[in-house]
Amino acid sequence: MKKIINNPEAFVDEIIESLLIAHPKWIKPATEDKRALVRADAPTQGRVGIVTGGGSGHMPGFLGYVGEGLCAGVAVGNVFSSPSSEQIFEATKAVNGDAGVLYVYGNYGGDVLNFDLAADLAEAEGIDIKTVVLTDDVASAPKDRAADRRGVAGMVFAFKCAGAAAERGDSLDDVARICAKANANCRTMGVGLSPTILPAAGKPTFTLPEGEMEIGIGIHGEPGTHRGKLESADAIAERITKQIVGDLAAPKGSRVALLVNGLGATPLEELYLLYRHSAKLIADEGLKIARSYVGEYVTSLEMAGASITIMLLDDELEALLEAPARSPFFRDGTES
Amino acid sequence: MKKIINNPEAFVDEIIESLLIAHPKWIKPATEDKRALVRADAPTQGRVGIVTGGGSGHMPGFLGYVGEGLCAGVAVGNVFSSPSSEQIFEATKAVNGDAGVLYVYGNYGGDVLNFDLAADLAEAEGIDIKTVVLTDDVASAPKDRAADRRGVAGMVFAFKCAGAAAERGDSLDDVARICAKANANCRTMGVGLSPTILPAAGKPTFTLPEGEMEIGIGIHGEPGTHRGKLESADAIAERITKQIVGDLAAPKGSRVALLVNGLGATPLEELYLLYRHSAKLIADEGLKIARSYVGEYVTSLEMAGASITIMLLDDELEALLEAPARSPFFRDGTES
């Protein structure tokens, strides 16, 4: 195990401590255990607060998207484990500006359970809650069961669009509608080349023989749809792009956003090789790439691999992507 | 070899092609072979143009720092190989706004040779050239031979400060003076946990037994100063921080910038663990951390490991760090 860590049991708490030392102008804890973090200026009166959360190990996933024009708060679970309902509830109270709170998170059993429990607690205190569960991973269930799909890197677009809507003062209904549309318009698929080792377990989440790849792998190492010999960047880009473009079935001439996301150990150079061929295939399909994102956005500790996400745009979503956003980990928008 | 690539011989050219597809608003080629890239708005009349360059494989190193408030151009070599003098010369002409051109690059033999040749070509055409060779890696030579040290992640601070000075219209002499001061005030040291495999060679740049680390390793796998059993994040942070703080010998009460840089395969979580303890030790030394940077800034393909850089600030350098900067890979400044 080649990890730069201290006590594995303290892994998450030490990271949070470090974030609070490094970025005090941006985030503050909402609980004594610091497992709920919120924007330093929370709550913002009259604005919808967006709360996300999930297991740790996906940085900048989840907690990296707390910031201006993004989420207002996050509940931080252990590695690959849901945060508790209490932590989510505390984040909710801390971002509540009397305009309602939107929950946005990936479709995983523990997260769904705990966010639903937190929603009950919050509503009992008179806080309006709406929920959008993210389901962009096409490899995780067929299209006729799209609601069963897991949420992966598409969360970046959901946070960005919903966050921009909340920032400009949209109502809870509108922020939820926009977030649901962003999710419905996103398709993602990944490829894994090597597994993640969980700090506490000290063992790989899955095994993959040298020289093999797994297409459709999840961000916790969930099994994919194809395992075989490692192929070229172009061949991998084609396998993924054809599948997500086919599933999205956007009309020719549509504008899309394209995100090539590294899962942890894959160099930026290789992500650009995937981008290159994916962008060509998307253009060949008659789609127009309006915005491009290449880098590590939602990871799986040191897993080698990547995912490709496309989001179908309309005028509303494109304007929201162009709005300013900033956190210590993510800056976007034509203005910023 | 677990790499997402196509033909290894085409690796660099395909990456450049991809960058030009993804970021046409930011960069444009200055040569037919596209190995010289410049800001999309180059040349800027009356402003100093900063040209950097070096081998590929360090993304976002070198070409990621072409942007507003940063470098104006870059010459792109093969993996871990210097660009040619002709490529540097072409970048020079393309950014020349009749206010002189500053060369800023790491202290490696091939780069020094080719930038010096390019300077001769440029001066023969009447372009004023000044050069700052970066030497922030304390592990690469003792303090009394500091000019022999290699340049590593401290390049980020050199680009940022010199770039901000050029952007506001400083003279070539001033931009060069500021860049030299930034370099003289920077100290970096790295740790490697696993090697890089060069795409064309298909072999590791060095070997390191499972469970071992190498302190002081260079960004091309150059040997470090200590090889031994992998230690905890805190112990690694202490080994490096004590050495760079000792070498810098800044007066107590000084303000510094702190950069924890991932070399490629090391997760952001682990970089924050290094940051946490390094920041504590720096505070214990009576230094004040004014700005923090944690992420992948100068990498070595998929090497696992990290480096820590501190830069001693004065009012001039701190103001330049705070100035806006943006490229597709790097955004900074209180304004942006």
Side-chain angles (χ1 to χ4, degrees), chain A residues 1-2 4-6 17-18 23 57 59 193 210 233-234 269-270 272 276 280 326 329 331 336, chain B residues 1-2 4-6 17-18 23 57 59 193 210 233-234 269-270 272 276 280 326 329 331 336:
Chain A
M1 187 164 73
K2 294 222 164 193
I4 301 177
I5 58 173
N6 296 304
E17 183 190 340
S18 185
H23 309 297
M59 277 183 78
L193 273 66
E210 178 66 24
D234 286 358
E269 284 85 354
E270 298 179 21
Y272 271 95
R276 172 178 164 273
K280 282 182 184 169
R326 52 179 191 174
F329 301 91
R331 294 197 187 188
S336 65
Chain B
M1 188 163 71
K2 295 221 162 194
I4 301 176
I5 58 173
N6 296 306
E17 183 190 341
S18 186
H23 310 297
M59 277 184 77
L193 273 67
E210 178 66 25
D234 286 359
E269 284 85 354
E270 298 178 22
Y272 271 95
R276 173 179 164 271
K280 281 182 185 169
R326 53 179 191 172
F329 302 90
R331 294 198 187 187
S336 66

Side-chain angles (χ1 to χ4, degrees), chain A residues 104-107 132-137 146-147 149-152 154-155 157-159 161-162 176-188 248 309-312 317:
Chain A
V104 185
Y105 57 90
N107 185 29
V132 176
V133 181
L134 303 174
T135 56
D136 55 306
D137 184 354
R149 289 175 171 172
R150 296 184 294 258
V152 287
M155 73 174 72
F157 292 140
F159 296 154
C161 294
R177 174 185 60 76
I178 285 163
C179 190
K181 180 167 68 174
N183 177 59
N185 285 13
C186 271
R187 297 293 185 281
T188 302
L248 181 62
T309 301
I310 52 173
M311 179 168 69
L312 171 62
L317 292 176

Side-chain angles (χ1 to χ4, degrees), chain A residues 286-306:
Chain A
L287 304 176
K288 163 80 183 159
I289 299 170
R291 292 182 81 83
S292 296
Y293 301 77
V294 185
E296 292 184 355
Y297 290 85
V298 178
T299 65
S300 185
L301 291 170
E302 76 282 16
M303 193 193 296

Side-chain angles (χ1 to χ4, degrees), chain B residues 160-173:
Chain B
K160 179 69 185 73
C161 294
E167 197 78 30
R168 72 182 178 192
D170 283 14
S171 70
L172 179 59
D173 280 350

Side-chain angles (χ1 to χ4, degrees), chain B residues 247-263:
Chain B
D247 197 280
L248 182 62
K252 277 197 196 304
S254 299
R255 294 168 71 82
V256 298
L258 174 58
L259 162 63
V260 178
N261 170 57
L263 292 177

